Amino acid sequence: MCCTLLCTSRLLSCVESVVRANFVSKNLQNNTVAREELPPGWKRVESRTKPGTYYYAHPSTNRTQVNPPQGTKQVSAGASNGTQQAEMAADGSVPKKDNQEDKEERKRKHQQVEEEAEAEQEMVEEELRRIKAAKKAKELELKRKKEEELRLERLRKEEEARLEKERLQREAEERKRQQELEALAEERRKREAEARKKDQEAQRRKAMVFEQHSILQRKLAEDARKRQAEEEEKRKKAAEQKKEEKQEEKQEENQEEKQQEKQQDEQTRREKVAKREVKVWTQQIPDPVDPVLEPCFDVYKNGKLLRTHRLAGEKTSWIIGRGPAGVDIAIANSRISRKHAEISCQTPLMFLTDLGSTYGSAMNAENLEKNQPVELVDGARFRFGGLPELFVYREPPAAEEEAEEPSSPPVVAEVSGMATAEDGPDLPQAAAAASAAARAAAEAEDEARVRRIQQKRQERKAAQEAEKAVAAAKKEEEKKKKQERVQKKRAAKEAKAAKRSARAAAAKSAAATAGSMLNQGDATPPDAALPDAAMASPQDQSPPASPKNEDGCISLYIPMRPWTCCL
């Protein structure tokens, strides 16, 4: 059926294509009958890329377009022939016909062509409608058949599903019956196994009851031997513990003696270092031979002047370091940092700052805080990195220079140069007053500077005393903590000794109790009759289970006396 429908659709498509071809051929014939009369300068040219299509060109203006240019006229072939005949008659070659008849003839032909075209168009449309109706009827028929097939397929699937469901239900019922039968068989097997197990257990218990008496006697003897061996082992362990305690005490005493010796050695070393430090700080420094004209550092070792570093010029800061590059005062020693300290000038005072060096700096036997500036005072002694070289700061005596020189020398010179015999008594008085005022101002400035220096020294001393007090408090606290640790150790030792003595007393009491129990043990002979409780049947007296303990032993139940058998 599908092949028939496919052939029918192909036939309809072929008929439709034939009808359309006929219609196109008629139109082409009609087009051949009529032609286009283009405006002057325009030409109709066939496309090279798409043969059969045309476009319009105007060569003089280089214009091209697809649509006919404005002013194009449609002229029929007859009209063109009449036009040609009229042109020939005008030329005198052919006689001219009546124009009215030609017009009527052309009109009649044109009307006939239009009627034929309309009839052909109606035929084509009718054929197309018929083809579409047939095609639609075929499509409806196909749709109906497909729906019927789908309905039949659905019914078939529903029937198959119903049958499959019934089959699965039967299989489930069969499995359920089989499972019930298997459960009944399993339950029957379990009951039989439990009955066999109970019989075996009863027989085992009967055998155990008859064997317990002899086993108990052997167990008591073994327990006695074990207790004796344990007591002997405990005595040995106690002796070894005493030896270990003595050895530990000796070791602790030796450690304490070693610590004391180390402390004494450390104290001796510190005393030697302190003596060496005191010797370095208190070495005799001779007075400078030449007068000090500018601030400088004199470097001494063992009372001998090694070199002098002058702090003058346009610079306002000088770097002390290992150098040699990037520093102003180079000290070639590994205990000196690359940039150890800095000297800065803040007129009229000079300051020294430790730049976070590794081994630090000290002034007058006191360590300097890092990154904290300290004022330089004439005669102050410095050490860098703990080296034996002593740096002594020197500065020119500013107060004496001011006292020696007048405060305003140009004014005095000018006045003395202008002095005459007539006003001589008045000029010396003015010069004396000016010099006295300058001297008083210099003294006041010196006094203020001295007060500032004294105040800073007092503040520094107070800070040092506070630091010493804090250090002393820390030492006292550490001493107390050390004493507490020692007391805790002693208390721990005493607690250990008390525990050992308690364990020894407990072991003695346990040994005495075991001996008394051994003396009072069961002395029933092996061939004696067992008590009624021991001869009871397993059904009357069921002993508990015999699980294994951590040592791999099995705990057995004996009437009136539990015991353990290690296999």
Side-chain angles (χ1 to χ4, degrees):
M1 183 180 291
C2 294
C3 294
T4 305
L5 294 173
L6 183 61
C7 293
T8 305
S9 61
R10 287 182 179 177
L11 181 60
L12 290 173
S13 61
C14 291
V15 171
E16 186 177 355
S17 62
V18 170
V19 172
R20 287 179 179 173
N22 291 333
F23 179 71
V24 171
S25 63
K26 289 291 183 180
N27 289 336
L28 290 174
Q29 288 175 5
N30 293 334
N31 290 335
T32 54
V33 173
R35 70 180 184 83
E36 293 179 347
E37 186 177 351
L38 300 174
W42 285 92
K43 292 182 179 181
R44 189 165 178 265
V45 184
E46 185 177 3
S47 175
R48 294 180 181 178
T49 58
K50 297 180 180 179
T53 60
Y54 296 86
Y55 66 93
Y56 301 92
H58 196 284
S60 62
T61 59
N62 292 330
R63 290 178 61 190
T64 58
Q65 60 185 28
V66 177
N67 298 324
Q70 191 175 3
T72 304
K73 297 179 181 179
Q74 298 290 335
V75 182
S76 61
S80 63
N81 293 332
T83 305
Q84 291 176 4
Q85 289 176 4
E87 290 176 356
M88 290 172 67
D91 294 338
S93 60
V94 181
K96 185 177 181 181
K97 293 184 181 181
D98 192 5
N99 292 330
Q100 187 65 26
E101 293 178 0
D102 292 339
K103 288 180 180 180
E104 290 177 359
E105 183 68 19
R106 287 195 300 273
K107 187 176 181 181
R108 184 179 61 76
K109 288 181 179 180
H110 184 66
Q111 188 175 2
Q112 185 179 0
V113 168
E114 288 180 354
E115 290 175 356
E116 290 176 358
E118 289 177 0
E120 187 70 25
Q121 181 68 21
E122 289 178 359
M123 289 175 63
V124 169
E125 290 177 358
E126 184 66 26
E127 185 68 23
L128 288 174
R129 283 195 295 273
R130 186 182 65 76
I131 290 169
K132 287 182 180 178
K135 191 175 181 180
K136 189 173 182 181
K138 293 291 184 183
E139 289 177 355
L140 291 173
E141 183 66 20
L142 287 172
K143 187 176 180 182
R144 186 183 63 78
K145 288 180 179 180
K146 285 182 180 178
E147 290 177 354
E148 185 67 20
E149 290 176 357
L150 291 173
R151 187 179 65 81
L152 294 173
E153 184 67 20
R154 188 170 60 255
L155 292 174
R156 184 181 61 79
K157 287 182 179 179
E158 289 177 356
E159 184 66 20
E160 289 179 356
R162 185 180 62 79
L163 295 174
E164 183 67 20
K165 187 176 180 181
E166 291 178 356
R167 185 181 64 79
L168 293 174
Q169 190 174 2
R170 287 195 300 272
E171 290 179 356
E173 291 176 356
E174 186 66 26
R175 282 197 301 272
K176 188 175 181 180
R177 286 195 296 272
Q178 188 68 22
Q179 288 176 359
E180 289 177 355
L181 293 174
E182 290 178 357
L184 291 172
E186 183 68 24
E187 188 175 357
R188 186 170 59 253
R189 285 195 298 272
K190 284 183 179 179
R191 285 198 298 269
E192 292 175 356
E194 288 178 359
R196 287 195 300 270
K197 187 175 180 181
K198 286 180 179 179
D199 294 339
Q200 292 175 1
E201 186 71 19
Q203 292 175 4
R204 186 178 66 81
R205 287 174 182 172
K206 287 178 181 180
M208 285 173 58
V209 168
F210 289 105
E211 292 178 0
Q212 283 175 358
H213 187 75
S214 59
I215 294 172
L216 180 59
Q217 295 294 330
R218 290 196 297 271
K219 181 64 178 176
L220 291 173
E222 290 177 0
D223 289 343
R225 288 195 298 272
K226 285 182 180 180
R227 281 196 294 272
Q228 291 178 358
E230 288 176 357
E231 290 175 359
E232 187 67 23
E233 187 175 358
K234 286 180 181 179
R235 286 195 293 273
K236 290 181 180 179
K237 286 183 178 180
E240 290 177 357
Q241 286 179 357
K242 288 181 180 179
K243 288 182 181 180
E244 290 177 357
E245 289 176 358
K246 290 181 180 179
Q247 290 178 358
E248 288 178 358
E249 290 177 357
K250 288 182 179 179
Q251 289 178 358
E252 289 177 357
E253 291 176 357
N254 294 332
Q255 288 179 358
E256 290 179 357
E257 291 177 357
K258 288 180 180 179
Q259 288 180 357
Q260 290 177 0
E261 290 177 357
K262 286 183 180 179
Q263 290 177 358
Q264 291 177 359
D265 295 340
E266 184 68 21
Q267 187 174 1
T268 305
R269 188 183 64 79
R270 288 179 182 176
E271 290 176 356
K272 289 181 180 179
V273 171
K275 288 180 181 179
R276 188 166 59 251
E277 294 288 325
V278 169
K279 184 178 180 181
V280 172
W281 286 109
T282 58
Q283 60 180 307
Q284 295 294 329
I285 304 299
D287 295 331
V289 179
D290 299 328
V292 179
L293 302 177
E294 54 189 0
C296 63
F297 268 111
D298 289 340
V299 184
Y300 292 90
K301 187 174 181 180
N302 297 328
K304 294 180 181 180
L305 179 63
L306 301 179
R307 57 187 179 276
T308 300
H309 299 285
R310 302 192 179 279
L311 309 175
E314 298 179 355
K315 297 182 68 173
T316 59
S317 64
W318 296 265
I319 300 295
I320 300 172
R322 190 166 63 238
V327 298
D328 301 298
I329 300 175
I331 304 174
N333 196 294
S334 59
R335 294 183 65 84
I336 302 298
S337 301
R338 288 187 179 87
K339 289 186 177 181
H340 197 96
E342 181 184 9
I343 302 168
S344 58
C345 177
Q346 299 179 9
T347 307
L349 303 178
M350 301 282 285
F351 295 90
L352 186 140
T353 306
D354 186 273
L355 300 177
S357 59
T358 304
Y359 295 98
S361 307
M363 182 183 76
N364 296 332
E366 295 179 0
N367 294 328
L368 299 179
E369 294 183 3
K370 296 180 180 180
N371 299 316
Q372 292 292 331
V374 178
E375 184 182 354
L376 297 178
V377 183
D378 186 21
R381 301 184 179 190
F382 292 88
R383 290 178 65 191
F384 302 103
L387 299 179
E389 296 179 353
L390 193 65
F391 286 69
V392 180
Y393 176 71
R394 306 290 189 185
E395 64 179 7
E400 293 178 3
E401 290 179 359
E402 290 178 358
E404 291 176 359
E405 296 181 1
S407 60
S408 57
V411 175
V412 176
E414 184 178 359
V415 173
S416 61
M418 294 175 61
T420 58
E422 296 177 356
D423 52 1
D426 296 332
L427 290 175
Q429 292 178 1
S435 63
R439 192 177 300 107
E443 289 177 356
E445 185 178 357
D446 292 341
E447 289 177 359
R449 182 180 178 185
V450 169
R451 282 197 297 272
R452 288 198 302 272
I453 293 170
Q454 290 177 353
Q455 185 178 0
K456 289 182 179 179
R457 288 178 179 175
Q458 290 176 359
E459 292 176 355
R460 190 161 57 248
K461 286 181 180 179
Q464 291 174 358
E465 290 177 357
E467 290 178 357
K468 289 180 180 179
V470 170
K474 286 183 179 179
K475 288 181 180 179
E476 188 68 23
E477 188 176 357
E478 290 177 357
K479 188 176 180 181
K480 289 181 180 179
K481 288 182 179 180
K482 189 174 180 180
Q483 290 177 358
E484 290 176 358
R485 287 197 296 270
V486 172
Q487 290 176 0
K488 286 181 180 179
K489 287 182 180 179
R490 289 177 181 175
K493 288 181 181 178
E494 292 175 357
K496 287 182 180 179
K499 287 182 180 179
R500 292 193 192 100
S501 60
R503 284 198 296 270
K508 288 180 181 179
S509 62
T513 305
S516 62
M517 290 177 66
L518 183 62
N519 295 329
Q520 297 175 4
D522 190 2
T524 306
D527 54 351
L530 293 174
D532 295 338
M535 294 298 294
S537 62
Q539 288 81 7
D540 297 336
Q541 185 177 359
S542 59
S546 303
K548 288 186 178 181
N549 56 18
E550 296 179 355
D551 299 332
C553 299
I554 299 174
S555 299
L556 301 178
Y557 177 80
I558 300 174
M560 303 299 292
R561 184 176 296 173
W563 59 283
T564 301
C565 178
C566 295
L567 301 179

